Amino acid sequence: MPVVTGNMAVREKRCDGDRIERVLSAQQWRVLRALLDESAVSADPILRKAETLDSGEYLTICYELHHVLLPELANMGLVEFDRFEDEVRRGLRFDEVRRFLEQVADDPDK
């Protein structure tokens, strides 16, 4: 199985379910934080350097992100999710949370 590094770190080694839950629970926060610096970002999961997932776990995260987490943010108006372009952009209500995002630490899980 190939290993992908960077934002999409995938390893053959299995990780425990708790770690998958932590990665999933942080995705919405990480997408919003990424949109502080960029007006649009890829709809791929955002992983920290120390986080690794095997390919099946990565696909699970992608599915949850695309079918649950990003649509929730889009319903709130915080993002616009373009499934065809695989891109997330700032939504009409993004500026309402900008100040909060700027004041809170980069990753609230730490």
Side-chain angles (χ1 to χ4, degrees), residues 31-32 34-36 38-43 70 73-74 77-95 98:
V31 167
L32 293 173
L35 288 170
L36 280 175
E38 303 290 333
S39 60
V41 296
S42 168
L70 291 176
L73 291 175
L78 300 177
V79 303
E80 293 177 2
F81 173 40
D82 186 334
R83 290 179 193 270
F84 299 106
E85 295 294 324
D86 199 36
E87 183 177 77
V88 182
R89 293 179 295 280
R90 295 175 189 155
L92 295 174
R93 297 183 62 202
F94 182 82
D95 285 335
R98 179 186 293 275

Side-chain angles (χ1 to χ4, degrees), residues 13-110:
K13 179 182 172 186
R14 298 226 18 113
C15 68
D16 61 53
D18 290 341
R19 191 162 33 178
I20 292 173
E21 287 301 317
R22 282 193 302 273
V23 170
L24 272 174
S25 67
Q27 288 306 300
Q28 288 177 320
W29 175 258
R30 292 173 183 177
V31 167
L32 293 173
R33 288 288 299 186
L35 288 170
L36 280 175
D37 299 326
E38 303 290 333
S39 60
V41 296
S42 168
D44 293 328
I46 299 172
L47 303 178
R48 298 295 181 230
K49 288 183 182 185
E51 294 173 333
T52 59
L53 304 169
D54 70 25
S55 59
E57 292 163 338
Y58 185 79
L59 289 174
T60 298
I61 301 285
C62 285
Y63 181 86
E64 291 291 324
L65 184 62
H66 287 205
H67 296 282
V68 178
L69 303 174
L70 291 176
E72 284 177 355
L73 291 175
N75 287 340
M76 291 185 272
L78 300 177
V79 303
E80 293 177 2
F81 173 40
D82 186 334
R83 290 179 193 270
F84 299 106
E85 295 294 324
D86 199 36
E87 183 177 77
V88 182
R89 293 179 295 280
R90 295 175 189 155
L92 295 174
R93 297 183 62 202
F94 182 82
D95 285 335
E96 293 176 24
V97 295
R98 179 186 293 275
R99 177 188 261 161
F100 175 74
L101 293 168
E102 291 171 339
Q103 293 176 353
V104 177
D106 182 42
D107 196 339
D109 294 336
K110 291 182 181 180

